[in-house]
Amino acid sequence: MILQTRSVVEALSWEMQCQILKGTIPPGATLAEVSVAETFDVARPTARSAIDQLVHLRLLRRHRNK
């Protein structure tokens, strides 16, 4: 078995992806960077990067100033 090292951004993105697919984060939920950072106890730039990854995967949509 090979263990892989993950960055905090990758780990957060993976956890959020799992929650989205399980329905823990419901469709249409608003996920602000600040609230994600507080919920997962990470820095805001980390939350932003994880959200960006999920937007790239089309699991989230970004709306400006919302």
Side-chain angles (χ1 to χ4, degrees), residues 29-41:
T30 301
L31 297 175
E33 292 171 4
V34 174
S35 64
V36 170
E38 290 174 355
T39 300
F40 292 97
D41 194 26

Side-chain angles (χ1 to χ4, degrees), residues 8-21 25 29 31-32 36 40 46-62:
V8 175
V9 172
E10 290 171 336
L12 176 57
S13 178
W14 178 256
E15 178 58 30
M16 290 177 67
Q17 182 176 347
C18 289
Q19 288 188 19
I20 290 167
L21 295 175
I25 297 175
L31 297 175
V36 170
F40 292 97
T46 302
R48 182 182 317 119
S49 294
I51 290 170
D52 287 343
Q53 285 185 359
L54 295 173
V55 168
H56 180 74
L57 294 173
R58 297 184 179 190
L59 289 174
L60 295 178
R61 283 187 271 164
R62 186 176 290 280

